[in-house]
Amino acid sequence: GQNIDQPTEMTATEGAIVQINCTYQTSGFNGLFWYQQHAGEAPTFLSYNVLDGLEEKGRFSSFLSRSKGYSYLLLKELQMKDSASYLCAALDSNYQLIWGAGTKLIIKP
Amino acid sequence: SAVISQKPSRDICQRGTSLTIQCQVDSQVTMMFWYRQQPGQSLTLIATANQGSEATYESGFVIDKFPISRPNLTFSTLTVSNMSPEDSSIYLCSVTSGEDYNEQFFGPGTRLTVL
């Protein structure tokens, strides 16, 4: 079956760094997405990885290891506005997105 | 990037009625999707809206309950028929516009409450 696993909730301190992990099992693989979703709002695209390695975009970086079926989202210099759910989603061989349940990130002052 | 609008943004409906949600994109897109997100949960794909042919529904979703139209490459509608309180959810339109499906964007969502 197809499955995405990510932690349910994480807590971090303002100004610190946090890494949100995601493991996936899909029928074929065409890339891994990370989305940010604030409560009551639609998901916002953060990153897309299809090749192994680290993609950096400002305070956010995303890493992919295809051989391990593993990705992480790294958030640096955390700000209070980063409090949100972070959704991991894998694109399978039919170009369907398989969604994780999301990781709720709580930022404390 | 694609700019997506949805109407209505929210609605409160009576059991047994139907609601049609509209999704408008500011550019022609290849794929349009309809998702449902129930409180505290992740997204569930309802169907893929195909231009010029019937929508492709995921397991657990049927055309009689969620009829979909896609008359052109920029517009789609989802109807939630014969609603019950279990249909209370956020309904999201999503599009992919990248050639390699690596660009996927969401509309603002329609928050539906069924009494």
Side-chain angles (χ1 to χ4, degrees):
Chain A
Q2 309 205 93
N3 192 51
I4 305 285
D5 283 318
Q6 53 181 131
T8 304
E9 187 174 296
M10 298 182 72
T11 302
T13 305
E14 190 176 16
I17 298 173
V18 71
Q19 177 175 312
I20 304 174
N21 296 324
C22 170
T23 58
Y24 63 88
Q25 291 178 309
T26 55
S27 302
F29 180 75
N30 281 297
L32 194 291
F33 292 82
W34 283 97
Y35 286 84
Q36 181 191 61
Q37 186 175 27
H38 285 99
E41 297 182 14
T44 304
F45 171 81
L46 288 178
S47 68
Y48 171 77
N49 295 63
V50 68
L51 300 176
D52 285 354
L54 186 69
E55 297 269 349
E56 297 187 68
K57 196 183 292 185
R59 293 190 298 114
F60 292 7
S61 303
S62 56
F63 171 84
L64 177 68
S65 168
R66 293 179 68 137
S67 62
K68 294 181 180 178
Y70 168 70
S71 173
Y72 68 72
L73 180 70
L74 190 71
L75 292 77
K76 302 177 185 176
E77 300 170 17
L78 285 170
Q79 302 174 10
M80 297 304 292
K81 67 178 182 179
D82 297 329
S83 292
S85 286
Y86 291 84
L87 304 171
C88 171
L91 199 60
D92 71 7
S93 57
N94 294 318
Y95 293 97
Q96 299 268 27
L97 274 177
I98 311 301
W99 291 89
T103 299
K104 183 178 180 181
L105 178 63
I106 300 168
I107 310 295
K108 295 186 174 178
Chain B
S1 63
V3 178
I4 307 167
S5 60
Q6 281 185 235
K7 288 186 204 179
S9 58
R10 59 178 62 229
D11 209 341
I12 301 173
C13 301
Q14 296 296 324
R15 181 195 298 262
T17 63
S18 298
L19 176 72
T20 295
I21 303 167
Q22 298 180 8
C23 175
Q24 180 73 55
V25 190
D26 69 341
S27 58
Q28 294 186 343
V29 294
T30 309
M31 307 282 280
M32 294 181 78
F33 306 91
W34 286 99
Y35 284 89
R36 181 170 74 182
Q37 186 176 31
Q38 293 177 311
Q41 298 188 22
S42 191
L43 288 82
T44 301
L45 181 64
I46 298 171
T48 302
N50 303 308
Q51 195 268 328
S53 64
E54 277 195 2
T56 305
Y57 288 84
E58 297 302 303
S59 176
F61 298 96
V62 294
I63 188 171
D64 289 346
K65 175 67 177 178
F66 296 101
I68 286 171
S69 79
R70 190 170 176 199
N72 56 52
L73 293 175
T74 64
F75 184 78
S76 178
T77 67
L78 169 76
T79 299
V80 187
S81 303
N82 189 25
M83 288 184 283
S84 66
E86 291 72 35
D87 294 321
S88 296
S89 187
I90 297 174
Y91 290 85
L92 294 154
C93 170
S94 174
V95 304
T96 180
S97 59
E99 285 187 1
D100 298 321
Y101 301 88
N102 62 343
E103 296 174 350
Q104 187 147 356
F105 305 95
F106 285 86
T110 297
R111 185 181 296 274
L112 172 62
T113 302
V114 184
L115 303 177

